Amino acid sequence: MSDINYLSKKLNTTTLQFVLFTILTAGIYPVIWLYKTSQLIETETQQVVIHPYYYIIASMLLGWEMVLGDARLVMSMGSDFYGFSMILSKVYFIVLIVWAFKAKSILQMYYLKMHGIDIKPNAFYTLIFSVYYINFLINSISEIKEKSDLVQKAYLQNEKKVNHENEK
């Protein structure tokens, strides 16, 4: 059985760092993180998160959205390009959300099979925060394991108590 914190150790990016890197790189970092994290998840789980062309599509969407979203460029070409840029931006976010749901399901099955933990990722948070929530989930897996162990221990103690009372 592999180390439960393998992904967290290899990823080595807190959620705050992730948000800051996204701001500092004007939104480019999530595509880099997406590729890096997918490689780590695929190595650890032996399951393909998403086809490699997916990252190229995400990069293209982000690049064209940034070019067409540039105010000076849009003013010289007309306002229709700004609308198209907004569509590309929405499609880019949908791409991130699709990846996040796919990664969520793979991680959920992996931790259940390999470590006996049902991590129960929140679908609403996955939808709203997408890749940031997956990063948070990967980083907090040891805490989730700790809570799971405590709940299981309390359940077993309660079960022993009930059995002991029934024997009397």
Side-chain angles (χ1 to χ4, degrees):
M1 188 182 303
S2 66
D3 179 21
I4 194 165
N5 292 315
Y6 171 81
L7 290 174
S8 179
K9 288 176 186 174
K10 288 289 187 180
L11 188 58
N12 196 25
T13 305
T14 66
T15 307
L16 179 60
Q17 286 174 328
F18 189 11
V19 170
L20 289 175
F21 289 159
T22 302
I23 292 168
L24 292 173
T25 62
I28 295 171
Y29 187 73
V31 175
I32 297 165
W33 181 90
L34 199 74
Y35 181 76
K36 180 175 124 180
T37 305
S38 292
Q39 298 275 318
L40 290 172
I41 290 173
E42 289 172 11
T43 300
E44 183 67 7
T45 64
Q46 303 300 311
Q47 292 184 15
V48 176
V49 178
I50 217 95
H51 194 278
Y53 289 145
Y54 196 82
Y55 312 111
I56 295 169
I57 291 169
S59 300
M60 287 183 346
L61 285 168
L62 180 63
W64 280 108
E65 184 270 328
M66 292 174 103
V67 167
L68 295 176
D70 182 21
R72 283 173 275 146
L73 183 65
V74 169
M75 289 189 334
S76 67
M77 293 192 295
S79 63
D80 291 341
F81 286 99
Y82 182 74
F84 186 62
S85 169
M86 294 308 297
I87 291 170
L88 290 177
S89 178
K90 287 173 178 47
V91 171
Y92 171 71
F93 287 117
I94 291 170
V95 164
L96 292 181
I97 290 168
V98 168
W99 181 91
F101 274 99
K102 180 77 172 162
K104 175 185 85 83
S105 65
I106 288 174
L107 289 172
Q108 188 173 16
M109 290 305 296
Y110 169 74
Y111 283 115
L112 187 59
K113 287 179 182 176
M114 297 301 291
H115 300 284
I117 307 171
D118 188 6
I119 58 174
K120 298 178 186 167
N122 189 312
F124 178 73
Y125 290 162
T126 306
L127 178 66
I128 299 300
F129 300 114
S130 68
V131 292
Y132 302 100
Y133 181 63
I134 298 301
N135 186 68
F136 171 78
L137 197 63
I138 290 171
N139 287 327
S140 61
I141 196 65
S142 61
E143 295 161 14
I144 295 169
K145 170 75 170 150
E146 205 173 290
K147 287 178 186 176
S148 175
D149 290 346
L150 287 173
V151 168
Q152 189 174 20
K153 184 179 177 183
Y155 175 77
L156 291 174
Q157 285 177 345
N158 189 36
E159 189 76 20
K160 283 182 184 179
K161 184 179 174 183
V162 169
N163 287 340
H164 182 67
E165 289 175 2
N166 286 341
E167 288 175 359
K168 288 182 180 181

